Amino acid sequence: MDTVNNMMNSFDNIHISNSLVLVMSGAVILILLGLYVRADYLKRRFRIALKVEKKVYSLGAEYVKLLSECNSVFTQIEDHKKELLNLDAEKEELDRNRAELELLDIELNKKYEENSLIRNEARELEDEIAAKKNELEEIMRDSGDPERIKKEVEWLNQELNTLTQELVPLKVEHEKILAKIKEVADAEVKLSAIATKCGSIESNVQELIRERDKLKEEHSALKDEINKLELEKDKVSSEISLLADSKNEDDTAEVDEEDAFRDLLAAPGCCNRSQFLFPNTDTDEDACLHAFKAGMKEKGVFFHERVINAFHTSLKCQDINPLTVLAGVSGTGKTLLPIEYTKYMGMYSLVMPVQPRWDSSQDLFGFYDYIQKKYKATDLARCLLSFDPYNQRNKKWINDRMLLVLLDEMNLARTEYYFSEFLSKLELRRTVNNIGNKDERVIGEVELDVGANASINFNRIWVNNNILFVGTMNEDESTQTLSDKVLDRSNVLRFGRPSNRHFEEVAGIGANNNEQNYVNDKYLNHNTWKGWIKTPSINDSWDHEVNKWIQEINNALAKIGRPFGFRVGNAIRQYVANYPEAGRDYNYKLAFADQLEQKIIPKLRGIELGEGAVSSCLSDIENVISQLGDRNLSYSFDDAKRDNELGLFNWHGVTRDED
């Protein structure tokens, strides 16, 4: 019986223990839920704090700007007050002059009256002289006494001389009075102009005072809002501090790298292996380029042969000019040409529309989100990582493929903000002698912002030369100009306005459009592309003449203080060497003409015409152009140096019509 009781007591204890465990488990779950809700609330407050802080900084900047404007307005008001004081002094002086002039006017009227009396007296004297003469004549006719007549004549002459001498001072006084009248009239005109100016300045001062009062009101409102936001910021900061203090040991756990960088490690959508299954066995460059031109015309897309040759050659010169820029007005085919080129040649393409808000390299490659602890990647970062042959995550099959990256409308944002650093890395690749050595390779690698995750091995990317970079640039009032650094490291092809014939031809696009025949279903092998790239040599038939032209052009630019360095000269020679059939006929001349248009002549934009050194420089360049046989370039250069309203060299590029 005791055994049975003991067993019953054991069962009761087990039941009570299980209940206690369940209660405690529920309590723990409730505590964890509470902590999670609290953490989520504080996380939202942290985000609000960030927004508040940004707004505080923005308002602070606006406050400083308004304060500066207020000070400027105060300075202008003080200047206008000083000017008003000066004008008041001038006005008082003029009032005194006016009073004096009024006195002079009264005196002048008196002089007029005296002058009138003198004139009357002079007339009376003249009448008397005439009467005396008549009387003398009558005496001479009636009298036969010559001596008496002679005495009468002498007396009359003396009387006439006396009257003439009395008239001289009156004439002088008359001239002085006329001069005084002119001075009075000039002073009245000046006084009227000063009065008008005073009225205008007084109006401006009143306007500035109203603007000052308005700025004071805005300044006060901003100050109140800043104080309010500062209080809210302090409150949120306190809550964030509480959140930081309440973190447990689980918060310090290492980030799951696979999850954090899943977005970056994803396969790029533009590089699909099934798109190109087999390499193109046709490795003849001229044949491929000719077929591309023919395919373009068959499809109804028309570009001048020189434009296609220049684009193809510029891509081959990416070692020294990593970027090819297609510039011109909107709607001239700048985006269409590279897209059609990749379709036919068998290259992958990635189009990145540039946004006006881009201001750092993170807009190109993405960034690490420290709040979510995840990397936000771009398509470009995924492509570069996939194409990096020295990265362990690289798929070997992609090393044979080519990729063309198109930065569409790249000057919507300032290129030196988001692209300059990356362009420097592309240029530094030429300085690496042994690419296989990671210590030497690091100077030309792109470094991604991966936060504090130092253990990952894909934060540095080597951009291989099977990736080509092209940018389009609309030249209108809504875009930024490219910096000199970008222009010097690029080949800039300018697309002029289309001719009437182009409009007629483009209207028929689609009639003969056979996309299946036009698109190449085979890929251009990377080794084939490298085989197309040529290195200039002193043994080239054109080398001596091209070097002579380079020296002549540089000497001409030195006259106006704008010479170029060795890199530009080497870039020109490399471009000529890689131009289609450069050694045949006069093709090397066309290539050199392209480089003048793309690299040299834009340096002359804005120089003042008419100066001796400028005229000599332009004459020397024109002499070189005349040897190239490029009529369109010659006409465009002549138009640019032709004198205009501003007297400046105004270069707009060369417009080439389809021959």
Side-chain angles (χ1 to χ4, degrees), residues 527-545:
N527 289 328
T528 300
W529 175 262
K530 289 191 294 185
W532 289 356
I533 299 175
K534 301 175 182 63
T535 302
S537 169
I538 59 174
N539 297 322
D540 291 325
S541 59
W542 46 262
D543 183 74
H544 175 73
E545 193 166 11

Side-chain angles (χ1 to χ4, degrees), residues 406-508:
L406 176 62
L407 300 172
D408 199 22
E409 297 192 49
M410 65 180 303
N411 63 329
L412 277 180
R414 290 199 173 277
T415 52
E416 58 266 29
Y417 291 167
Y418 71 89
F419 194 71
S420 180
E421 182 181 355
F422 181 51
L423 186 61
S424 297
K425 292 293 184 180
L426 296 178
E427 186 181 16
L428 287 172
R429 294 179 303 178
R430 302 175 60 233
T431 64
V432 180
N433 295 322
N434 184 7
I435 301 178
N437 187 330
K438 65 178 183 179
D439 293 331
E440 292 188 37
R441 193 172 63 239
V442 68
I443 190 175
E445 288 181 326
V446 176
E447 185 174 4
L448 301 180
D449 175 20
V450 295
N453 303 283
S455 61
I456 66 172
N457 56 6
F458 47 79
N459 62 320
R460 307 191 73 89
I461 301 176
W462 174 261
V463 183
N464 207 20
N465 53 13
N466 58 341
I467 303 179
L468 310 175
F469 293 91
V470 177
T472 65
M473 182 177 77
N474 282 338
E475 294 182 325
D476 56 42
E477 67 280 356
S478 66
T479 56
Q480 310 287 343
T481 57
L482 295 181
S483 64
D484 289 341
K485 176 179 179 179
V486 177
L487 289 173
D488 286 346
R489 289 156 181 80
S490 310
N491 278 328
V492 181
L493 283 66
R494 282 185 164 77
F495 285 56
R497 63 175 181 82
S499 65
N500 293 333
R501 181 182 175 186
H502 280 142
F503 287 117
E504 294 171 0
E505 291 171 333
V506 172

Side-chain angles (χ1 to χ4, degrees), residues 512-528:
N512 299 320
N513 188 358
N514 190 340
E515 187 72 17
Q516 185 176 0
N517 294 334
Y518 176 73
V519 176
N520 198 341
D521 58 353
K522 298 178 181 179
Y523 66 86
L524 177 63
N525 189 285
H526 183 205
N527 289 328
T528 300

